[in-house]
Amino acid sequence: MQRIPEPELMNDPAQAQAYAEADFSEPHDAFVATYREHFPETRGQVLDLGCGPADVTLRFARAHPDCTVLGIDAAEQMLQLGRHACHRAGLSDRIELQIAHLPHTPLPHEAYAAIISNSLLHHLNDPMTLWNTVAEHAHHGTQVFVMDLLRPDSPEAARALVDTHAANEPDVLRHDFYHSLRAAYREDEVEAQLRAAGLGVLRVEIISDRHFIVYGRVA
Ligand SMILES: C[S@@+](CC[C@H](N)C(=O)[O-])C[C@H]1O[C@@H](n2cnc3c(N)ncnc32)[C@H](O)[C@@H]1O
């Protein structure tokens, strides 16, 4: 199935609200658990690219009490929901959320212990935006961990995944999930993107019927 891009930003208030209210506990807990399998220890400053309403950011911060996290996203609607969630969780002192539209907004250059990202790649018109940002901000030893959707073979396979994993979700979310699957990248495409960004040291691994991860340490 050919890739069909979807709109980059999630700035529509209803879409952002539905996304923030959805139960992503299974994939987001899997994000943190799989991260820890690969990187048992992380201390210091972490950069979360395309943090949205900060659900992964919060789960990551809870699991890593010695980390502070800078989450960036281009959608102010998402960040507002994320700031409320961080406040409610009592983690505003360790999580900062900033508006930034990649690749146009420069990000702070810090010695990031880790750069993480969940479900940003398939939104990008140019996937190199993510990998060039990682390459620019990773220092010696930075732990990189990215999770995203895998494009299925056919529209029917995409529909079946929506029925399996989002049967009881609101229509707006089922619609987003279907179009996200069609906008997602395949393993070989991601490997080529990594080589083009000089990030060939990172590994790509399929971890479920709909997700792959990219992980490794930048030398
Ligand atoms: C599917 S959401 C994922 C949010 C969050 N990481 C999560 O897993 O719940 C993708 C997010 O990427 C953001 N985004 C898309 N393109 C972007 C860009 N060029 N720069 C910054 N953020 C972007 C969108 O606004 C949206 O909040």
Side-chain angles (χ1 to χ4, degrees):
M1 175 172 73
Q2 268 211 320
R3 176 173 191 262
I4 303 177
E6 63 174 354
E8 262 200 14
L9 305 189
M10 295 177 72
N11 242 339
D12 174 65
Q15 184 191 33
Q17 188 76 39
Y19 189 86
E21 285 172 1
D23 180 7
F24 288 118
S25 50
E26 186 216 320
H28 291 183
D29 282 344
F31 181 102
V32 175
T34 314
Y35 175 93
R36 285 176 73 105
E37 279 169 26
H38 291 287
F39 304 116
E41 281 247 342
T42 307
R43 291 164 195 276
Q45 177 76 351
V46 175
L47 178 61
D48 182 4
L49 299 170
C51 63
D55 189 59
V56 169
T57 327
L58 275 164
R59 289 171 199 267
F60 187 96
R62 269 194 214 103
H64 297 91
D66 295 323
C67 287
T68 53
V69 190
L70 171 63
I72 68 96
D73 199 285
E76 185 55 38
Q77 294 287 344
M78 286 288 201
L79 293 175
Q80 279 176 17
L81 293 162
R83 289 191 191 102
H84 285 130
C86 292
H87 183 71
R88 278 196 304 276
L91 285 171
S92 300
D93 57 333
R94 287 202 291 122
I95 299 176
E96 185 188 350
L97 303 183
Q98 276 183 18
I99 187 120
H101 191 177
L102 302 174
H104 312 294
T105 314
L107 303 181
H109 279 274
E110 304 267 344
Y112 294 110
I115 299 178
I116 61 173
S117 182
N118 185 54
S119 285
L120 167 64
L121 182 67
H122 72 266
H123 275 274
L124 297 170
N125 293 331
D126 179 1
M128 296 311 291
T129 293
L130 173 60
W131 305 122
N132 290 338
T133 303
V134 169
E136 182 186 339
H137 291 275
H139 290 247
H140 179 74
T142 299
Q143 299 168 168
V144 176
F145 189 85
V146 171
M147 185 166 99
D148 213 296
L149 294 169
L150 198 57
R151 189 167 77 251
D153 291 336
S154 64
E156 294 72 29
R159 188 66 67 199
L161 285 171
V162 174
D163 289 340
T164 304
H165 297 289
N168 301 318
E169 297 294 351
D171 283 348
V172 60
L173 272 185
R174 288 173 53 83
H175 174 274
D176 274 2
F177 185 28
Y178 177 70
H179 288 284
S180 293
L181 286 164
R182 298 197 65 168
Y185 292 95
R186 308 279 302 180
E187 188 182 16
D188 57 331
E189 294 168 343
V190 176
E191 281 167 349
Q193 293 161 15
L194 291 169
R195 282 195 298 275
L199 292 172
V201 67
L202 302 182
R203 294 192 52 189
V204 185
E205 190 179 310
I206 296 173
I207 58 160
S208 79
D209 58 355
R210 61 202 189 286
H211 290 114
F212 67 85
I213 56 170
V214 172
Y215 67 95
R217 261 176 228 271
V218 173

